Amino acid sequence: MSSSFEANLAKLANLSVQTGVGLLPGQELIISGDIAFAPFVRLLQESAYKLGAKNVFVQYSDEQGTLIRYRNGNPEAIGYSAGWFHEAVAGMLEGGGAYLSITGGNPGLLKEVDPSLVAASSKAHAQAAKKLSNVIMEAKANWCGVPYATPAWAKLVFPEVSESEAIAKLWDAIFATTRVTEEDPIAAWDAHCSELERRSAYLNERQFHSLRFTGPGTDLTVGLADGHLWCSARLRADNGAVCIPNMPTEEVFTMPHRNRVNGVVRSTKPLSMRGTVLDGIEVEFENGKVVKAKAAKGEEQLLRLIDTDAGARFLGEVALVPNSSAVSQTNLMYFNTLFDENAASHIALGQAYAETLEGCSELTDEEKRGQGMNESLIHVDWMIGSGETDVDGVAADGTTEPLMRAGEWV
Amino acid sequence: MSSSFEANLAKLANLSVQTGVGLLPGQELIISGDIAFAPFVRLLQESAYKLGAKNVFVQYSDEQGTLIRYRNGNPEAIGYSAGWFHEAVAGMLEGGGAYLSITGGNPGLLKEVDPSLVAASSKAHAQAAKKLSNVIMEAKANWCGVPYATPAWAKLVFPEVSESEAIAKLWDAIFATTRVTEEDPIAAWDAHCSELERRSAYLNERQFHSLRFTGPGTDLTVGLADGHLWCSARLRADNGAVCIPNMPTEEVFTMPHRNRVNGVVRSTKPLSMRGTVLDGIEVEFENGKVVKAKAAKGEEQLLRLIDTDAGARFLGEVALVPNSSAVSQTNLMYFNTLFDENAASHIALGQAYAETLEGCSELTDEEKRGQGMNESLIHVDWMIGSGETDVDGVAADGTTEPLMRAGEWV
């Protein structure tokens, strides 16, 4: 790789720790990622220690090890997840730690694995990691997810070129969308976050009762939770640190009302989930619940997903992203939600984010449910916006305001 | 690598899990090792799942990450170890888990690092991992340590040949000493363990009051703990599993009396410890305590080691190994204690093993100390036997019995 690549990777590492995680001096940082990401992990470690980290604990995973488990594990093994470890990580984070997750594995890793095993294993993991997931979803710790280009991922995005060229092209896209190639990436992120915050402030002021999405195969009304808050890139965690949980990020997002979603919706991009790629999803909602679901590709995985638990058929997030976003401008299909969800408006089935409900931490579980907050072991985003999508804000009195036309902010 | 190498590596993996760890069906196994060991870790994972493991949790480390921490961490970071993680692992093991540790990193990794930082970090780790270390030293879980040949290690053992040849030669030595090249490695280990058990049974019957080591630069009397037990390769853990904690292993070992060690002793092999290599160690003991210590190489590391805590200047183990052991027969200096301690009789400074004291689990701390058991955060073996070493057993009445002459069993 070229020296400019090395320089950009080091810049991405520093940006991820300083601006993404927003690491505080003296914090302990946990980094999770595949052993294939080691060159990047080492740069992250260096950045974190230079920024005063007390410790960097790296939890390396291994895709090959995951496959070995599916191929050789007995049913007891497939239905088990190391809760003792997830609990320990959750405790460390609640005690003041920070979390950095690196994404970039093979989106099709598990395509040959029996979907029933993947569903059983994913559910066991979600149950065992419930507390850890809550720490993240409730912003008790500062966290960030950043990408790393691997050969399998790059070849899926750029199938027509050689592996090395595909990797180089994917890195170019990563560096562009994470603003690493800007003259001052940290200043560029500050400006970008401010712009998103201006947008979410406007939507918070409007307090729409619902959003209506229309486009090919889509006529969907997404009611918003009572007391919903629009959020965007930057988040202040309970520990006082300010982080950017996703890099890249282009969305403003809020909490749907779990029982006030009605209509039909068609996905506009493939969805990479649990080691396989779903496409052509079509779903019908009735009073918040998915009552019909099909997919041109990965239908079995989709049906198993929405049967995970009682909340898996209801929405936990709705997000608006213009078709001209920095990620969308790359004109690529990434097969990676961290990217694809930032190229299109999207909705997520499952757990809602506490930060998107005003005063959530002071509410009882019953009050949260009453205001429309959904709970589930899953949280799966999928893309429903495109250059042909219109979005209207609908006020409590039924009057409408055009928010997006042909995928762009009005 | 050749197909016979691949076959031998797979045999070593299966042997390590089945005979080394003695994995019980349904057990959760934790494997610790460097990311460079991944090809072997994957074979271990496969073996473990095939033997019915409930889970294989891999804790990958990274030597480069270790160096990054020493180079960039502030004093708070150097003096910190992730106790929350060690506690969680200890809890998992006490709850019925098993442990497999892979050794084989660069013996000289930390030679350029300030020894005071290494000592501070090692002590912090030992303190934070005290409970985990107790689980191991007190045999509450089944465990095993096995080797993996890395380039840096191989080139230290075989400096005169190319890197690839050095790696191949080191693997040959590993496969020979772990009996992987025997027609039936599991049966070969059974026979080997039985032979060592015959030897330790004889020594237990004799109940010597002390051992006397004589050789060039050495005239050392090692008093034995009251109620000492000679142990060898096989160990029955509290959870009922039978394991072989070290592969290879050639030793019979027992507990010295912490206050009854007197005389002088000179090391017979270099000692690889904490990322550096010590050599030419000369020590004088008085009533159990190291009162003089020097080393031709690594003296500062040695002096810092014995100042770790009050028990670090006293012995916790004495072991007898004939000069004709399978490891010794390879005629190599391994710079890795797992090997070198099995080529020569040795002693260890620091913590004693509970299994080497009769009924230890029923004794109070005061009773253990009274019988001569030593406690410390450290346990560091070093080699004092050679082809010129004689060992006598000394009975309570002062009569002596020759045990070894010129390094061989009488």
Side-chain angles (χ1 to χ4, degrees), chain A residues 12-25 27-32 40 44-45 47-48 51 53 55-56 93 96-102 136 140-146 189 233-237 239-247:
Chain A
L12 178 61
N14 186 63
L15 180 72
S16 303
V17 178
Q18 186 171 348
T19 307
V21 172
L23 190 80
L24 301 172
Q27 266 200 309
E28 181 166 8
L29 174 65
I30 182 163
I31 296 176
S32 77
F40 184 47
L44 291 164
Q45 288 174 289
S47 291
L51 289 165
N55 189 38
V56 182
L93 292 177
Y99 190 75
L100 198 163
S101 160
I102 311 169
I136 298 295
K140 290 179 180 165
N142 45 328
W143 63 285
C144 180
V146 291
W189 269 97
R234 267 188 293 228
L235 171 71
R236 180 177 295 276
N239 60 21
V242 175
C243 61
I244 298 176
N246 287 336
M247 279 186 155

Side-chain angles (χ1 to χ4, degrees), chain A residues 26 28 30 35 38 42 45-46 49-50 52-55 57-60 62 64-65 68-69 72-74 76-77 80 82 84-85 88-89 92, chain B residues 26 28 30 35 38 42 45-46 49-50 52-55 57-60 62 64-65 68-69 72-74 76-77 80 82 84-85 88-89 92:
Chain A
E28 181 166 8
I30 182 163
I35 55 175
R42 291 169 186 153
Q45 288 174 289
E46 185 175 337
Y49 282 118
K50 283 182 174 166
K54 183 170 71 176
N55 189 38
F57 181 92
V58 183
Q59 176 54 25
Y60 274 116
D62 173 29
Q64 297 313 308
I68 287 164
R69 176 172 167 272
N72 300 283
N74 62 27
E76 185 193 18
Y80 176 83
W84 61 270
F85 176 70
V89 173
M92 185 275 261
Chain B
E28 181 166 6
I30 183 162
I35 56 176
R42 291 169 186 154
Q45 287 174 290
E46 185 176 337
Y49 282 118
K50 284 183 173 164
K54 182 170 70 175
N55 189 39
F57 181 92
V58 183
Q59 176 55 22
Y60 275 116
D62 173 29
Q64 296 314 309
I68 287 164
R69 177 171 166 273
N72 301 284
N74 60 28
E76 184 193 18
Y80 176 82
W84 61 271
F85 176 70
V89 172
M92 185 275 260

Side-chain angles (χ1 to χ4, degrees), chain B residues 264-277:
Chain B
V264 293
V265 60
R266 182 187 292 170
S267 66
T268 52
K269 288 175 184 284
L271 162 61
S272 170
M273 177 194 87
R274 297 180 176 178
T276 190
V277 176

Side-chain angles (χ1 to χ4, degrees), chain A residues 282-339:
Chain A
E282 292 188 58
V283 165
E284 185 176 337
F285 287 89
E286 219 174 84
N287 298 325
K289 187 177 182 177
V290 172
V291 290
K292 280 188 200 161
K294 61 179 183 174
K297 196 175 156 194
E299 181 166 304
E300 183 176 354
Q301 284 87 345
L302 175 67
L303 298 180
R304 287 187 183 278
L305 175 75
I306 62 179
D307 277 342
T308 303
D309 58 18
R313 284 176 179 262
F314 296 82
L315 292 189
E317 180 190 344
V318 58
L320 299 178
V321 180
N323 201 45
S324 59
S325 81
V327 175
S328 190
Q329 276 174 34
T330 62
N331 266 317
L332 294 170
M333 176 62 46
Y334 288 92
F335 303 96
N336 179 316
T337 300
L338 182 57
F339 284 81

